[in-house]
Amino acid sequence: IQPREMTSEDKLKIIYMETVSAPTNIACIKYWGKASAKYNTPINSSVSVTLDQADLCAVTTASASLQFTKDRLWLNGEEEPDAFQSKRFRACIDGVVRLASDRVDPKTGNILVKKEEWKNMHFHVASYNTFPTAAGLASSAAGYAALVASLAKLMCAEETYPGELTTIARQGSGSACRSLMGGFVAWRMGGTKEDWSDSLAEQVADENHWEEIRAIIMVVSDAKKDTSSTSGMSTSVATSELLAHRAKTVVPKRMEAIEKAWLEHDFESFGKVTMMDSNQFHATCLDTYPPIFYMNDISSSVIRIIHVYNKWAGEIRAAYTFDAGPNAVLYTLQQYVVELAALMLKFYPECCEDYISNPDFATEVEAFEIDEELLKAVEKTGRIPTAGDVKKIYYTKSGPGPQALGAERAIIDPETGLNTYERNSMVEPNSKTYSHKTFLSELC
C-alpha cells in the first residue's frame, strides 16, 4: 500500500519541532568591541573553552507550523512579546531559513516539508538556561547557539561553506558562534569580505584533546549586570585608547601563543596568557569613560589568592578569568582541582545546600587537608572567610558542542505549540552528543 500524500489540511495541523541543548563558553582571549554593528563582528579575534553541559547549558525547542499565526518566544517560562521584532532574533531565524532544505520522513522517505515551504511558516521557540541569565556566565552565547542549532535541526539546514551557521549565531550574540563547537574554539575576526562571512568560529581542538583541563566557576553574583555587554562595548570603543592598542597589537600575539599552548598541553603558558588577558580586558573597562566596573571586591580577592597559590606551588597551577561580570572562572588540571577547590571553599565557605554542584566532588573537596604554609600565605592577603560572598561553585570541564535531545525533552506542546517549561532541569546523560561536523551531517 502506497502511503497517502498529505493534503493541505493535513499540513496545516502538523507542528514540526526539534529540541537541542547548547553549552556556554568562557573566553581566554576576550572579545570586546564591535567592528561592524550591522553584522555584529569584533574588532579582535578571541578564543574560548566550551564547557560541559552537565550543569551549564541552554535548552531550546524550535517549532514551526502553518497553523501558527505569528512568531513567538518564551524565555525561562515567560513569553517575550517583542522578541521576534528584535534584529538579532530575526537575523538568526531568517539566516537559517535561507539554508533550509527538505525535511524527510526517515521511515518512509517521503518529503514532509519542502525547503521552499519553510518561509511560509511561523515559528514558536521556547528556551531556558540552567544557570543565571545575564550575570556574566555567557548565557546569551548558550542561548543563541541553542536557537540556531535547534532551527538548523528543524529545517535540515545545509551550510554552503564550513562555519556558516556560526556566522548566523554571531549575529544573535557574538560569542554564540563559539558555542556551536566543543573544546577550544577560536572566533576569527574576519573583515576581508564585504559581508563579513569570514568572521566565524573555528575549532582549534576538540574536547578530547586536553582531557585533564578542569574549571571551577565561582558565582559571586547571580544578578543581572547593570551595564550590558553591548552597551559597555560601544562606550569602550568610543572612549578607550587602550582598547584600540589591545585589539591591534596585543591580541594577535596572544592568540598565537595560547593556541600553541593548548595544542601542546602547556598549562604554564596557557594560564599566564589567560590571566593577563582577563586583567587587560578589565583594564580597558576601567579605561572607558565613564569607567565600567564588572568585577567587585570578592573578585579581586580571588585574584590575589590565585597568585598566592601559584607562588606557593612554584608554578602556575590555576588561572583565573572574568568575563563581563564578577564571577570567577578558574582553570586548572585534574590533579590539582580538588586542592584548588578546597582552598576556595576554605576562604569562601558554604552558604547553602548543594553549594558545590557535584556531590561526589564536594565530598572529596571537604575531606582534603590544605597545606598549613599555603593557608598562612593566603591569610596574609587579608581575606576573611565569609559565607555568602560566593553563591555557588560549579565544577566542570571542557565539553562538546550542541546536543540533539529526544522528543521527551521538548518544552513546547506538540498539540498546541505553546511553552510547557515551568522549572529548571538539566540535560540528561543519555542526550545524543555530536561534534560540529557530525551534528551538521545528521541535521535530518
Side-chain angles (χ1 to χ4, degrees), residues 52-78:
D52 188 76
Q53 297 181 49
D55 290 313
L56 304 166
C57 71
V59 176
T60 299
T61 298
S63 63
S65 178
L66 290 170
Q67 70 174 270
F68 296 162
T69 58
K70 63 179 181 178
D71 296 328
R72 300 177 71 177
L73 169 73
W74 292 266
L75 180 60
N76 294 319
E78 299 292 328

Side-chain angles (χ1 to χ4, degrees), residues 156-211:
C156 307
E158 295 180 348
E159 292 184 322
T160 61
Y161 58 88
E164 188 171 10
L165 283 172
T166 74
T167 71
I168 296 172
R170 66 112 159 107
Q171 293 179 63
S173 172
S175 54
C177 67
R178 298 190 305 249
S179 279
L180 282 178
M181 299 177 181
F184 201 52
V185 184
W187 176 12
R188 309 301 182 190
M189 63 179 289
T192 62
K193 296 186 177 180
E194 188 176 346
D195 64 353
W196 289 89
S197 58
D198 57 342
S199 182
L200 46 70
E202 180 181 86
Q203 188 179 61
V204 177
D206 68 23
E207 64 275 13
N208 299 313
H209 177 77
W210 201 354
E211 294 183 343

Side-chain angles (χ1 to χ4, degrees), residues 2 11 44 66 128 155 195 253 271 286 292 325 343 382 388:
Q2 293 295 321
K11 289 185 176 183
N44 63 268
L66 290 170
Y128 69 90
M155 292 183 271
D195 64 353
K253 296 176 183 178
L286 291 175
I292 303 168
L343 185 63

Side-chain angles (χ1 to χ4, degrees), residues 20-164:
V20 166
S21 69
T24 186
N25 70 80
I26 301 297
C28 301
I29 303 295
K30 308 295 186 184
Y31 140 61
W32 195 250
K34 300 181 190 299
S36 168
K38 178 181 178 181
Y39 293 102
N40 205 31
T41 54
I43 63 172
N44 63 268
S45 295
S46 58
V47 68
S48 63
V49 179
T50 299
L51 298 181
D52 188 76
Q53 297 181 49
D55 290 313
L56 304 166
C57 71
V59 176
T60 299
T61 298
S63 63
S65 178
L66 290 170
Q67 70 174 270
F68 296 162
T69 58
K70 63 179 181 178
D71 296 328
R72 300 177 71 177
L73 169 73
W74 292 266
L75 180 60
N76 294 319
E78 299 292 328
E79 185 163 11
E80 303 285 327
D82 300 322
F84 279 90
Q85 297 175 20
S86 161
K87 177 185 174 183
R88 293 185 173 195
F89 268 102
R90 286 255 57 94
C92 291
I93 293 169
D94 297 341
V96 179
V97 168
R98 284 194 295 271
L99 301 182
S101 65
D102 296 342
R103 185 178 175 94
V104 178
D105 187 327
K107 295 180 180 178
T108 65
N110 291 339
I111 296 176
L112 301 174
V113 182
K114 296 179 180 178
K115 64 180 181 180
E116 62 269 17
E117 293 178 324
W118 292 110
K119 66 180 181 294
N120 300 323
M121 297 185 185
H122 285 290
F123 297 88
H124 287 187
V125 176
S127 183
Y128 69 90
N129 295 323
T130 62
F131 58 99
T133 299
L137 289 175
S139 59
S140 62
Y144 276 102
L147 172 67
V148 170
S150 59
L151 289 168
K153 179 75 173 170
L154 174 68
M155 292 183 271
C156 307
E158 295 180 348
E159 292 184 322
T160 61
Y161 58 88
E164 188 171 10

